[in-house]
Amino acid sequence: MDRTASAREEGAPASVGGTPREAGAPSLAVTDMMALLTRFGKTLLWLMPIYLTGYFGLSVSFLVFGLILWMGWKMRRDSKWNKLRDAFYLLENEEVVTKRRTNNSLPAWIHFQDLERADWLNKVLQQAWPFVGQYLEKLLVNSIAPIVRSSNNHLQTFAFTKVSFGVKPLKVHGVQVHTGTDKRQVTLDLHISYIGDCEINVEVKKYFCKAGVNGIQLHGMLRVILEPLIGDMPLVGAVTMFFIRRPVLDINWTGLTNLLDIPGLSSKSDTVLMDTIASFLVLPNRITCPLIGELRVAELRSPLPRGIIRIHLIEAASLESKDTYVKGIIKGKSDPYAIIRVGTQAFMSKTISENVNPKWNEMYEVIVHEVPGQLLEIEMFDKDPDQDDFLGRIQLDLGEVMKNKIVDEWFTLKDVERGKVRLKLEWLSLHSDPAKLEQALLVNNSITAQNSEEPSSAIMVVYVDQAQDLPLKHGTREPNPLVQASLLDKTFESRTVYNTNAPVWEDAFTFFVQNPNQQDLDIQVKDDDRELSLGTLSLPLSQLLRSPAMSFDQWFPLEHSGRNSQIYLKILMRVLIPDAVDLEKIPRTRKSTLEKMQGSAKSDKINATAAKLVEATGMATLIQAPLPTESSAPSSVGTEGVIRIHLLEAENLIAKDNFMKGMVKGKSDPYVKVRAGAQSFRSKTIKENLNPKWHEMYEVIINHIPGQELEFELFDKDIDKDDFLGRLKISYKDIMKSNVMDEWFMLNDVKSGKLHLKLEWLPPGMDSVILDQVLQANSTIFTQNGMEPSAAILTVYLDRAHELPLKKGKKLPSPMAQLTVSRTSFKSQVINSRELPIWEESFSFLVGNPNVERLEVQIKDDGHILGTLTLPLSQLLTSKNLTLDKWFQLENSGPNSQIMLKVILGILVSEHSSELFSIQTMDQEPANHEVENVSSSPSVSDESELKPGLSLVNDPSSHSVSSFASEHSANIPASESASSELDLRQRMNRKMDVSESPQIKLTLQYIMQHGRLLLVVHSCRNLKLHSKEIPDPYVSLILLPDKNRVTKRKTNVKKKTINPGYNDKFDFEISLEEAQKRKLDLTVKNSVSFMSKEIGKLHIDLSLLDLTQEITQWFDLKEE
């Protein structure tokens, strides 16, 4: 009945009035038409790439590549939706799924005795989740959105268009409570899971950009620490939260952020997100919410670690072979390396090429904050040009290492068929007793590692609290201060506090310390532009050894700052001792530095007590302890020298920059780190160059302690992490033995690359007569980094002071000394409550010009100046042996206040100075030899007439003549400056050369131990021009007679120069008797033309020379 009526109604004509359904028919038709047009437009849009490919005549590969990207994006989107749908199903039907998977038994985690269910907490979260969503919505819309809009002009139209956190709350699967670690805290481990149906959409209306998130999955273990427990409400002082390990995160993107699901971008975006979360919530990072006032949040956020684990990555065995050839038919080996990770601390070992049983013998140190809980993760990979192959992984709970103290065993790699790795893990405990420092240093001396990581003897935590009365920026504006804390080459930076000169940072930094006796902590307060300095502080770590519990908790006055500027720091240092080492069996052959300090303090206390007894008995006028007439400086003081480092260039460096996952090779942006003990330097970065040229100079002061090395490390500058390009180590002993090393050095731990260095050992000289000549020679040296060479080294031995003024209330002062030369300052140790302090410390300074510079000494007590001394260094130039060793009267002090110093000045004579002015020391007077067709070199009197400002051409390591001439073109007449560059070079050559004749510098010596004749071709100068072209000279030589020409040698070719520098070394395996029968035939040639043309010749009869002695001198070339 209904069907018939319905049929009639559908087939009958419409009435006049029409039914409601008939009245809505046109609107339905419009809707259907819009849907059809929309579908048609989408179809055209999908066909558009095909049309454009044909229209522009592009290859079909572009279309195929786009199709592959779309398919990858579609598959990843479908995979995410499936995971999210499965997670929702599991969340809603947990009991059914669990019983099905466990054969009707309860979940496995219920049987864990230390993991408790939290059903009551989940019910609370279920009830409160809508209100949590409202709070988070207000936070995003009212707080986060304005910050985003104000951060950039392009984001002024940014807005949250939809914020919904859904109905699926955060779920806690179990809670584990730790109460035995500390009585003043409660530790909770929450196993959380969030499978949320949240939807958050954002829009930038100005650019019609829409993006968002539709569904998030987060799984992990969140540790919550309630500390400190207090006796007042709310019973807990603060709540600290963090993830011990990285949580698992999966986000379903919408809108424009759909692009993040494209293959290649998806893994990158996930990594960036996890790194961002780890920087806030994964150890050692924490979120601390204080519940009461007067809490030091920084100490809760960065507490002292539980311990340190020293990881020795020794070797691996039976790794899988991943390298194959001929499409897998031929099996190769692997190039294994290891990635070691503990929380956010990660290290990468070197790569061992073509070895399935690699040996590393590398050492790393990691900070352990929470045990049990933190894991050691090691992953092995095979290094490949495109994508590295997986070789296995292991995980180890660090609680086992703390329990066993030392673990040394083989671990089987997981997720692979075979492979194992050998590790040695040591647990280092923290001790507050400074007497154990020497024991830690002795233990560390026995440790050697291939990666040259020096083991740490202590750990230091620096809490940067606040500052006061910082200077204003440009005199009127409030600064935006931040703090940079540095120890050797490790630098940490605090957050920036805006628009205040009394900032509160509450940040903390942790440093590994190799030797507290030799290292200083440097604090710099800067404006946010990192250029304007607001104050500095340099603190020797040796002062911590004498403070109670090895800690400071006080205000420190800032230097180079305002009058009342100061910073509040809390510094803790703890000695690291391996628990598995028996300290009683460690041999102690010398007293520790601390015991020496305590011993001197005890002797001073006895002397002071004796003086008081003498005065009390009325015998002070009869008995007076005589003051020493000179310092107690050891003989080693003043023997320090300088190594001058010329960083010239590099060649054949590895190209680290690549694109499209290594398919397109780029170049590198290399720079060099130079490390010499506690001093370090960094060169400028050369953009996109595998053969960079730096021409920079550095100087380091060194002593004669054996075993020291100069280290060079090359890196490729990148946005995230700089890539390693090689390293090089040179012993100080080798440099001092050679005096000058001008060589190419091969880089280690890389496949290719070499570095050109010129290293000079400059021992201190005691002759003040040569100072002016050294200064003139130094003025002709120009470097790219603007470093001016030093003319002298100043060594100051700070012995003691006498009758310093008392503090207010007649209290004994606690003096320290600050010594300054030019812009370099050093601080001595603080001698607590002493009127007669004894420091016995030595300091060394580089001096540019002793004629104008001066030594300034300030004796201070907690910022109060007890006395000053200003000593012009020119006084030393007239002293015997350039040394003053006596008592100096202090200014602005007591009437009898004095200070005992030994001040030694040493003149630094470089090879450049010796060549320009023939400065010869007593041990370097050249012997007079009769040489065939060879005239003697210019005498001292001849060369002394040379103008020092025009001597640049004689040093091959200096700038070219053209660059020098351009800088001094004002001294050349206008008529001459209009001539060609060639004429200018010739004129400069005539002005600058001592002799018009061309010369060559050689070294000849017969090495008896090896039975070889050594010949070194150093350089040429004043080569003559036979055409308008500047020559490309090289040197060809042979020992005559030689019928078969087996002794013929030649140097490399130097382009476009008349003063080439070679430093090429040749040796000949002949006896001494045979060498004395030979004649050296040497020819300088020009390789520009097809047939090399001779520029000059030299013949030396070796029978006229004493070859058993080293002969180094300039020889005149005979012109052809």
Side-chain angles (χ1 to χ4, degrees):
M1 181 65 184
D2 293 340
R3 294 178 182 177
T4 305
S6 174
R8 284 199 304 266
E9 289 175 0
E10 291 178 2
S15 60
V16 178
T19 64
R21 182 173 180 179
E22 290 169 344
S27 62
L28 291 174
V30 171
T31 304
D32 293 340
M33 182 62 69
M34 290 300 296
L36 181 63
L37 290 175
T38 302
R39 185 177 300 175
F40 181 73
K42 288 184 177 180
T43 305
L44 285 179
L45 189 63
W46 284 110
L47 294 175
M48 184 63 68
I50 302 175
Y51 171 76
L52 292 176
T53 302
Y55 180 80
F56 290 106
L58 301 176
S59 172
V60 182
S61 59
F62 285 93
L63 190 62
V64 173
F65 181 70
L67 184 61
I68 292 174
L69 280 181
W70 178 83
M71 291 177 63
W73 172 83
K74 185 67 174 173
M75 291 175 61
R76 184 163 181 84
R77 293 284 299 170
D78 292 343
S79 175
K80 281 193 172 185
W81 274 113
N82 292 334
K83 286 182 181 179
L84 193 61
R85 186 177 63 250
D86 293 343
F88 282 144
Y89 179 79
L90 176 62
L91 190 64
E92 295 173 355
N93 305 278
E94 182 179 9
E95 186 176 351
V96 176
V97 175
T98 304
K99 286 184 178 181
R100 186 186 305 148
R101 292 182 179 180
T102 57
N103 297 324
N104 296 325
S105 62
L106 292 175
W109 52 263
I110 293 180
H111 295 287
F112 296 162
Q113 296 180 358
D114 54 353
L115 198 65
E116 303 175 9
R117 300 184 62 171
D119 292 340
W120 65 272
L121 184 57
N122 291 323
K123 292 178 181 179
V124 172
L125 289 173
Q126 177 75 38
Q127 191 74 12
W129 191 252
F131 302 97
V132 173
Q134 292 177 17
Y135 168 73
L136 294 177
E137 180 180 358
K138 293 177 182 178
L139 180 66
L140 291 174
V141 174
N142 299 331
S143 300
I144 304 298
I147 295 175
V148 174
R149 284 193 291 267
S150 61
S151 64
N152 195 295
N153 292 331
H154 299 288
L155 299 176
Q156 291 181 353
T157 57
F158 174 88
F160 287 96
T161 57
K162 184 176 182 180
V163 178
S164 173
F165 284 87
V167 297
K168 307 292 184 183
L170 178 75
K171 191 169 185 179
V172 180
H173 292 290
V175 178
Q176 185 176 1
V177 182
H178 306 277
T179 57
T181 55
D182 191 342
K183 297 299 182 182
R184 294 197 62 198
Q185 71 176 27
V186 175
T187 302
L188 308 174
D189 285 341
L190 306 181
H191 297 258
I192 63 172
S193 176
Y194 177 57
I195 306 171
D197 54 348
C198 64
E199 185 175 359
I200 303 173
N201 297 327
V202 299
E203 181 181 7
V204 182
K205 297 180 181 179
K206 181 179 179 180
Y207 300 102
F208 306 100
C209 295
K210 295 183 178 181
V213 173
N214 186 7
I216 296 177
Q217 292 189 64
L218 179 69
H219 309 276
M221 187 182 75
L222 181 69
R223 175 158 290 186
V224 179
I225 299 179
L226 309 176
E227 69 168 334
L229 301 179
I230 57 179
D232 298 319
M233 294 301 293
L235 301 180
V236 176
V239 179
T240 302
M241 297 176 290
F242 54 88
F243 286 99
I244 293 182
R245 295 181 291 275
R246 290 192 174 208
V248 178
L249 177 68
D250 196 1
I251 299 177
N252 190 33
W253 302 103
T254 61
L256 187 63
T257 46
N258 269 324
L259 296 175
L260 297 178
D261 284 331
I262 294 177
L265 284 179
S266 59
S267 59
K268 197 73 175 178
S269 62
D270 291 346
T271 302
V272 171
L273 276 172
M274 285 310 304
D275 290 341
T276 304
I277 292 175
S279 65
F280 288 99
L281 272 176
V282 179
L283 272 179
N285 306 295
R286 308 166 183 235
I287 291 182
T288 301
C289 303
L291 303 180
I292 60 174
E294 299 181 358
L295 268 182
R296 290 189 174 181
V297 180
E299 296 182 26
L300 295 176
R301 194 181 295 126
S302 301
L304 275 174
R306 296 290 180 87
I308 305 296
I309 287 188
R310 188 171 287 161
I311 304 170
H312 298 268
L313 176 63
I314 301 175
E315 58 182 321
S318 304
L319 299 180
E320 292 184 348
S321 300
K322 292 293 184 177
D323 296 339
T324 58
Y325 308 96
V326 197
K327 293 187 177 181
I329 298 177
I330 302 176
K331 277 283 186 182
K333 294 186 178 181
S334 292
D335 307 320
Y337 67 91
I339 295 179
I340 301 162
R341 186 180 292 111
V342 175
T344 57
Q345 305 169 84
F347 307 92
M348 181 175 175
S349 74
K350 67 178 180 181
T351 302
I352 308 297
S353 299
E354 298 184 357
N355 199 329
V356 294
N357 300 292
K359 297 181 184 294
W360 286 284
N361 292 317
E362 297 184 359
M363 186 268 296
Y364 310 95
E365 292 174 333
V366 295
I367 300 173
V368 181
H369 290 277
E370 299 292 332
V371 282
Q374 281 191 274
L375 297 179
L376 168 64
E377 302 174 86
I378 297 181
E379 291 183 314
M380 313 283 289
F381 293 93
D382 167 41
K383 186 70 175 179
D384 284 331
D386 48 3
Q387 185 174 358
D388 297 347
D389 299 315
F390 180 69
L391 293 177
R393 66 166 55 92
I394 66 166
Q395 285 188 342
L396 179 66
D397 191 338
L398 297 182
E400 295 295 321
V401 184
M402 184 182 70
K403 179 180 177 181
N404 298 319
K405 308 303 180 186
I406 186 169
V407 176
D408 187 355
E409 59 183 83
W410 288 89
F411 295 89
T412 303
L413 296 173
K414 298 180 180 179
D415 301 331
V416 287
E417 293 182 359
R418 68 176 188 271
K420 56 183 180 179
V421 61
R422 184 187 172 192
L423 301 174
K424 180 182 177 182
L425 309 173
E426 296 179 275
W427 179 266
L428 309 181
S429 296
L430 279 59
H431 299 269
S432 59
D433 183 6
K436 294 186 177 181
L437 174 62
E438 193 73 15
Q439 297 168 337
L441 292 173
L442 290 174
V443 172
N444 293 347
N445 286 338
S446 63
I447 298 176
T448 56
Q450 292 294 332
N451 58 341
S452 302
E453 288 292 333
E454 185 178 352
S456 303
S457 62
I459 190 172
M460 179 176 63
V461 181
V462 180
Y463 298 100
V464 181
D465 193 355
Q466 58 184 311
Q468 288 183 355
D469 296 323
L470 295 179
L472 299 180
K473 186 164 55 173
H474 305 300
T476 56
R477 297 173 53 191
E478 296 279 358
N480 303 322
L482 58 86
V483 175
Q484 290 179 344
S486 302
L487 188 70
L488 292 182
D489 57 347
K490 190 72 172 178
T491 300
F492 292 104
E493 188 173 280
S494 73
R495 64 188 181 95
T496 302
V497 182
Y498 292 94
N499 301 320
T500 179
N501 69 337
V504 177
W505 293 286
E506 292 186 336
D507 279 340
F509 314 115
T510 303
F511 296 92
F512 283 108
V513 183
Q514 280 72 42
N515 190 342
N517 296 315
Q518 302 175 358
Q519 294 177 247
D520 295 345
L521 172 66
D522 294 320
I523 302 291
Q524 288 190 328
V525 184
K526 293 185 176 181
D527 194 53
D528 60 346
D529 60 3
R530 273 88 175 162
E531 295 180 0
L532 177 61
S533 177
L534 302 175
T536 61
L537 171 66
S538 181
L539 185 66
L541 300 190
S542 58
Q543 295 184 13
L544 277 167
L545 299 176
R546 297 184 296 275
S547 62
M550 289 201 298
S551 64
F552 286 139
D553 191 358
Q554 65 186 61
W555 287 98
F556 291 89
L558 290 172
E559 301 173 359
H560 309 106
S561 186
R563 183 175 181 181
N564 300 317
S565 301
Q566 53 183 348
I567 186 171
Y568 196 92
L569 302 175
K570 181 175 181 181
I571 307 175
L572 301 174
M573 188 164 65
R574 295 293 182 264
V575 179
L576 301 178
I577 298 292
D579 286 354
V581 176
D582 187 0
L583 299 178
E584 299 298 330
K585 296 182 180 180
I586 297 177
R588 300 193 60 188
T589 58
R590 65 183 189 272
K591 288 186 177 182
S592 67
T593 304
L594 181 65
E595 290 173 341
K596 291 179 181 178
M597 296 176 182
Q598 292 173 343
S600 63
K602 289 178 181 178
S603 62
D604 293 342
K605 187 178 293 184
I606 294 173
N607 294 334
T609 305
K612 290 181 180 179
L613 288 173
V614 169
E615 184 177 359
T617 56
M619 301 176 61
T621 58
L622 300 177
I623 302 176
Q624 183 177 2
L627 292 175
T629 57
E630 60 183 21
S631 68
S632 59
S635 59
S636 60
V637 172
T639 61
E640 295 86 354
V642 173
I643 289 182
R644 185 171 291 167
I645 305 165
H646 297 271
L647 175 63
L648 301 179
E649 56 185 322
E651 284 186 1
N652 300 327
L653 298 181
I654 298 175
K656 287 291 186 178
D657 296 339
N658 51 61
F659 311 97
M660 299 179 65
K661 287 193 172 182
M663 297 175 62
V664 180
K665 278 287 185 182
K667 294 187 178 182
S668 290
D669 305 324
Y671 68 89
V672 182
K673 285 185 177 180
V674 185
R675 188 176 292 108
Q679 304 176 73
S680 61
F681 309 93
R682 174 171 169 167
S683 74
K684 67 178 181 181
T685 302
I686 308 297
K687 296 290 185 181
E688 298 183 358
N689 199 326
L690 301 181
N691 301 290
K693 298 180 184 295
W694 288 283
H695 292 287
E696 298 184 2
M697 185 186 74
Y698 314 99
E699 292 177 333
V700 294
I701 299 173
I702 65 169
N703 50 36
H704 294 269
I705 298 176
Q708 299 182 91
E709 292 181 321
L710 194 62
E711 183 177 359
F712 299 84
E713 287 186 315
L714 278 75
F715 294 92
D716 166 40
K717 182 66 178 177
D718 283 332
I719 298 176
D720 46 3
K721 184 180 180 181
D722 298 347
D723 298 315
F724 178 69
L725 294 178
R727 65 167 53 93
L728 167 68
K729 291 185 178 180
I730 305 173
S731 171
Y732 288 175
K733 182 180 179 181
D734 295 339
I735 301 173
M736 288 187 277
K737 183 179 180 180
S738 302
N739 282 333
V740 178
M741 300 177 70
D742 190 350
E743 304 176 18
W744 285 92
F745 297 89
M746 299 303 297
L747 296 174
N748 299 324
D749 302 331
V750 287
K751 293 182 179 179
S752 68
K754 57 182 180 178
L755 187 64
H756 186 190
L757 301 170
K758 181 179 179 182
L759 307 172
E760 297 181 82
W761 162 242
L762 308 179
M766 299 303 173
D767 187 3
S768 61
V769 176
I770 62 177
L771 174 61
D772 290 339
Q773 297 173 335
V774 170
L775 290 172
Q776 292 169 0
N778 288 350
S779 66
T780 66
I781 298 177
F782 301 94
T783 59
Q784 292 291 338
N785 60 338
M787 177 75 176
E788 296 182 0
S790 302
I793 178 176
L794 179 72
T795 303
V796 182
Y797 183 78
L798 175 64
D799 193 330
R800 63 189 67 197
H802 177 63
E803 292 194 12
L804 294 179
L806 300 179
K807 296 166 62 176
K808 293 181 179 180
K810 296 187 177 182
K811 295 181 180 179
L812 291 175
S814 299
M816 58 84 66
Q818 178 175 330
L819 297 86
T820 304
V821 174
S822 187
R823 291 174 293 179
T824 304
S825 294
F826 293 107
K827 291 183 179 179
S828 73
Q829 56 183 307
V830 177
I831 306 299
N832 292 323
S833 301
R834 297 305 315 279
E835 183 185 1
L836 305 171
I838 298 178
W839 290 284
E840 295 182 340
E841 295 184 65
S842 178
F843 309 93
S844 296
F845 302 85
L846 291 172
V847 180
N849 188 348
N851 292 315
V852 297
E853 296 187 33
R854 59 188 184 180
L855 169 66
E856 296 179 352
V857 181
Q858 287 186 329
I859 309 299
K860 297 181 179 180
D861 174 25
D862 195 18
H864 177 66
I865 296 178
L866 302 176
T868 61
L869 170 66
T870 300
L871 177 64
L873 301 187
S874 57
Q875 293 186 15
L876 290 164
L877 298 177
T878 59
S879 304
K880 183 180 179 181
N881 294 329
L882 306 185
T883 302
L884 291 175
D885 189 356
K886 64 176 185 177
W887 287 98
F888 293 87
Q889 184 68 37
L890 289 174
E891 301 173 358
N892 305 314
S893 186
N896 298 319
S897 299
Q898 303 179 80
I899 185 171
M900 168 65 79
L901 298 176
K902 183 174 183 179
V903 189
I904 307 171
L905 188 68
I907 309 300
L908 302 177
V909 183
S910 66
E911 182 191 36
H912 178 54
S913 304
S914 301
E915 290 178 358
L916 290 183
F917 299 101
S918 299
I919 301 175
Q920 302 290 342
T921 61
M922 295 177 61
D923 299 331
Q924 295 175 337
E925 294 181 358
N928 296 324
H929 302 286
E930 296 180 4
V931 182
E932 181 183 348
N933 296 330
V934 180
S935 61
S936 62
S937 299
S939 64
V940 177
S941 60
D942 295 335
E943 290 196 12
S944 64
E945 298 175 359
L946 177 65
K947 294 182 180 181
L950 301 174
S951 304
L952 186 61
V953 72
N954 289 333
D955 190 0
S957 66
S958 305
H959 285 203
S960 64
V961 178
S962 60
S963 64
F964 178 82
S966 63
E967 295 178 8
H968 297 78
S969 59
N971 298 327
I972 302 175
S975 59
E976 293 183 359
S977 62
S979 61
S980 64
E981 180 182 354
L982 178 62
D983 295 334
L984 179 61
R985 287 174 182 265
Q986 292 174 341
R987 286 198 307 275
M988 294 295 296
N989 182 42
R990 286 195 294 270
K991 291 180 181 180
M992 298 168 70
D993 289 340
V994 177
S995 172
E996 290 292 335
S997 62
Q999 295 178 320
I1000 186 170
K1001 185 179 180 182
L1002 303 176
T1003 293
L1004 283 163
Q1005 185 182 11
Y1006 190 84
I1007 311 299
M1008 300 295 294
Q1009 296 87 339
H1010 302 94
R1012 294 172 181 266
L1013 176 64
L1014 174 67
L1015 171 62
V1016 181
V1017 181
H1018 294 286
S1019 58
C1020 299
R1021 64 186 182 189
N1022 310 331
L1023 298 181
K1024 295 303 180 182
L1025 300 174
H1026 298 281
S1027 65
K1028 293 184 179 180
E1029 296 293 331
I1030 301 175
D1032 296 340
Y1034 70 94
V1035 180
S1036 175
L1037 56 94
I1038 189 172
L1039 296 179
L1040 298 178
D1042 185 0
K1043 294 181 180 180
N1044 299 324
R1045 306 181 71 83
V1046 295
T1047 61
K1048 186 175 182 180
R1049 306 284 193 273
K1050 70 176 183 178
T1051 68
N1052 54 338
V1053 179
K1054 297 298 181 180
K1055 297 291 185 180
K1056 305 298 180 185
T1057 179
I1058 58 174
N1059 299 283
Y1062 302 102
N1063 290 302
D1064 286 349
K1065 184 188 300 183
F1066 307 101
D1067 53 6
F1068 305 91
E1069 293 187 12
I1070 58 176
S1071 64
L1072 178 60
E1073 293 77 9
E1074 181 67 23
Q1076 292 175 338
K1077 298 177 182 179
R1078 299 291 185 100
K1079 292 184 179 181
L1080 173 63
D1081 183 80
L1082 183 147
T1083 307
V1084 182
K1085 298 181 179 182
N1086 180 13
S1087 69
V1088 174
S1089 58
F1090 176 74
M1091 297 295 292
S1092 298
K1093 187 175 181 180
E1094 295 182 357
I1095 299 176
K1097 293 183 69 67
L1098 172 66
H1099 300 281
I1100 302 178
D1101 188 350
L1102 300 184
S1103 64
L1104 303 177
L1105 304 180
D1106 183 6
L1107 297 179
T1108 59
Q1109 302 294 324
E1110 179 180 329
I1111 303 170
T1112 301
Q1113 67 180 65
W1114 287 95
F1115 297 90
D1116 286 344
L1117 291 169
K1118 181 180 178 181
E1119 297 184 53
E1120 292 296 324

